[in-house]
Amino acid sequence: MYKKIVLALFLSLVAVTIMAQNIPLRVNGQYYVETDNLTGVDQVIVFKSIDASASITYTGGKTPVIWTAFDGTLLLNGTDEFNNLENNMGYILTAGTGSTKDSVTFYVIDYEANLPTLNSLMVDESFESSCEETCLLLDAVIPPLSYQEPNGTTHSLEQTFRVSYTTLQWSDDSWQEITKDTTVNAATTLFVTAPLTNTTFKVTYTTYTDELNITDTISVESDIYQAIAIDMHPTSITEVRTATNEIDRPSETTTIKGSAPLVIQFLANANEPVAQYYNWQIKRGSELLAQRTDREHRYSFEDAGIYDVTLKVSNAAGCMDTISFRIETSVSSLMVPNVFTPNGDGKNDEFRVAYKSIITFEGFVYNRWGRRVFTWTDPGKGWDGNINGQPASPGVYFYVIQAEGSDGVKYRLKGDVTLIGR
């Protein structure tokens, strides 16, 4: 809209001085003065209604004061106040003589005499881009809110509509129903962002309604529109593992990169029931690993590498939304310590391997006489230094570990570990 340079709002007979080219004028009545982006005139004065309270007074003190119409017709001579205002009429005020003469041109509009008539509102169902935008067809008579220069050239002031409707907004991991207000230029064909839920559209005339403090607005409402636009905000929930000896372990539910296996639950979060059909695809390179048609999809990424996950959501109206994202699992590694101290101080109390992306695991611990004292198959766990519930003797023990990584690497590890006394 135009930048509002001078604003004067009156609910009763009020007089305020306004300036145009240093010309002091006092406008009486309920009005708004437009001075910005005008061509050929100094002011456009929009009265809410040109009634008995509407008048303009010259307060500069120079004489003689002459009021003429744009066509040169003399209207008033020698009087400071002019109250014979007419709708859609241009005026010239001159006061004084010679080089110090004051002169100002202004155009007067009666707002209530130029109001539009809004008859009906409907959605253009044939609009080709209806998945992204909704086209509204307004049956209306919209008189131009225009002014003229003294030479007769006509210009139009901007007129606006507010289009209000219900839609959805993704916030705090859930859909929230909101009322969306969009300001558009006044026209009989209007375009707004397509709603994500069923709604009615309401068009309200807003030109100068705030400036003139108009609360009894002109509006029209459509029938209920069946939404077809699709939007989605996919999220994922990764299974968390707590073993601190696993490197790059998935420690947060938002993790999509790290040690395998990454077990992830994917949620589409589309605007149902508008969204009807789901297509999940998981690929590694060009290889299709999985395809599902549920709104939620659970998958275990066990092999090391980069995966592309793509979700397409569509409906019978032909609207569709697509999104892709990547999952990355680490190459494997397996390292074995050579000492541990099961003294209960919370530091190195267990004989545990440090590992990453290990899919299968089996480990054995033997004493110096070759007796097996501990066996485990979960790399996230380890030996606490007890044998049959009793503390093992300090000294050297031997291990044998067999494992396989998510990248296919096979581990065959043998060595010794020292248990330091408690």
Side-chain angles (χ1 to χ4, degrees):
M1 295 181 65
Y2 294 118
K3 181 181 178 183
K4 308 304 181 185
I5 299 298
V6 181
L7 172 60
L9 179 61
F10 304 87
L11 300 180
S12 59
L13 284 179
V14 179
V16 172
T17 298
I18 60 176
M19 303 291 293
Q21 294 182 345
N22 298 319
I23 307 303
L25 295 179
R26 188 178 66 217
V27 181
N28 304 293
Q30 188 172 341
Y31 67 96
Y32 175 78
V33 176
E34 185 72 77
T35 61
D36 199 27
N37 294 334
L38 300 178
T39 302
V41 297
D42 298 313
Q43 301 173 350
V44 172
I45 304 173
V46 181
F47 286 93
K48 182 179 180 182
S49 176
I50 298 180
D51 53 20
S53 68
S55 66
I56 299 176
T57 303
Y58 170 69
T59 60
K62 297 179 181 180
T63 59
V65 179
I66 301 172
W67 306 84
T68 59
F70 275 4
D71 62 5
T73 302
L74 176 64
L75 302 175
L76 211 57
N77 188 350
T79 303
D80 290 340
E81 182 175 8
F82 183 64
N83 56 11
N84 240 349
L85 299 170
E86 295 183 27
N87 178 38
N88 295 332
M89 182 67 73
Y91 300 94
I92 301 173
L93 162 69
T94 58
T97 59
S99 60
T100 62
K101 181 174 66 176
D102 292 339
S103 178
V104 61
T105 57
F106 59 93
Y107 198 87
V108 172
I109 296 176
D110 185 319
Y111 181 82
E112 292 184 348
N114 290 273
L115 290 175
T117 302
L118 309 184
N119 298 314
S120 65
L121 181 67
M122 62 180 294
V123 175
D124 183 0
E125 303 287 355
S126 65
F127 181 55
E128 292 182 356
S129 300
S130 55
C131 293
E132 292 78 32
E133 284 188 309
T134 301
C135 177
L136 302 175
L137 302 177
L138 177 64
D139 179 10
V141 178
I142 310 172
L145 204 59
S146 57
Y147 68 93
Q148 290 183 351
E149 300 181 43
N151 64 12
T153 303
T154 300
H155 305 276
S156 293
L157 297 177
E158 183 180 87
Q159 298 187 78
T160 58
F161 287 143
R162 181 177 63 248
V163 183
S164 305
Y165 58 100
T166 301
T167 188
L168 299 178
Q169 176 177 280
W170 183 254
S171 177
D172 297 327
D173 292 330
S174 65
W175 286 109
Q176 308 292 331
E177 189 172 276
I178 63 169
T179 298
K180 186 175 181 65
D181 290 330
T182 301
T183 298
V184 298
N185 288 333
T188 55
T189 302
L190 309 171
F191 299 92
V192 295
T193 302
L196 301 176
T197 188
N198 297 345
T199 185
T200 59
F201 294 93
K202 183 178 181 179
V203 171
T204 303
Y205 186 64
T206 56
T207 307
Y208 296 124
T209 54
D210 290 340
E211 292 83 351
L212 294 174
N213 196 32
I214 295 173
T215 57
D216 186 16
T217 55
I218 300 172
S219 62
V220 64
E221 193 167 343
S222 72
D223 293 334
I224 295 177
Y225 168 70
Q226 303 296 316
I228 61 173
I230 289 178
D231 190 20
M232 59 176 170
H233 295 267
T235 56
S236 62
I237 303 173
T238 302
E239 286 189 0
V240 172
R241 295 194 290 274
T242 58
T244 57
N245 58 317
E246 181 181 9
I247 304 168
D248 292 342
R249 72 185 186 280
S251 58
E252 298 181 356
T253 58
T254 55
T255 299
I256 58 174
K257 178 181 180 180
S259 176
L262 289 177
V263 182
I264 302 178
Q265 179 83 6
F266 297 101
L267 298 84
N269 298 320
N271 59 317
E272 293 188 348
V274 179
Q276 297 172 310
Y277 311 121
Y278 298 84
N279 188 331
W280 293 94
Q281 289 188 354
I282 298 178
K283 291 183 176 181
R284 186 171 56 188
S286 60
E287 180 185 6
L288 179 62
L289 302 177
Q291 183 166 307
R292 300 289 186 273
T293 57
D294 298 322
R295 64 172 63 88
E296 298 181 8
H297 177 39
R298 181 183 179 87
Y299 192 81
S300 179
F301 300 87
E302 299 190 354
D303 296 335
I306 297 176
Y307 300 80
D308 291 310
V309 180
T310 300
L311 170 62
K312 295 181 180 179
V313 181
S314 60
N315 58 21
C319 295
M320 182 177 68
D321 196 11
T322 302
I323 193 170
S324 296
F325 44 94
R326 286 194 159 179
I327 308 295
E328 183 175 349
T329 55
S330 308
V331 295
S332 67
S333 67
L334 182 61
M335 296 174 286
V336 185
N338 57 14
V339 64
F340 75 111
T341 57
N343 56 13
D345 66 354
K347 299 178 181 179
N348 201 27
D349 282 335
E350 290 187 347
F351 172 51
R352 290 192 182 195
V353 300
Y355 71 98
K356 179 170 59 176
S357 295
I358 296 297
I359 302 302
T360 64
F361 180 90
E362 189 174 34
F364 307 92
V365 177
Y366 301 88
N367 63 17
R368 68 182 66 185
W369 297 283
R371 178 189 171 197
R372 185 186 298 175
V373 297
F374 183 70
T375 301
W376 78 113
T377 57
D378 182 352
K381 298 180 179 180
W383 183 35
D384 62 2
N386 290 321
I387 301 175
N388 296 325
Q390 298 298 318
S393 300
V396 177
Y397 292 81
F398 302 90
Y399 63 83
V400 176
I401 294 175
Q402 301 178 48
E404 183 175 350
S406 63
D407 48 7
V409 175
K410 298 183 185 301
Y411 296 87
R412 301 288 185 270
L413 305 177
K414 294 181 181 181
D416 59 77
V417 58
T418 300
L419 189 161
I420 297 178
R422 302 167 186 258

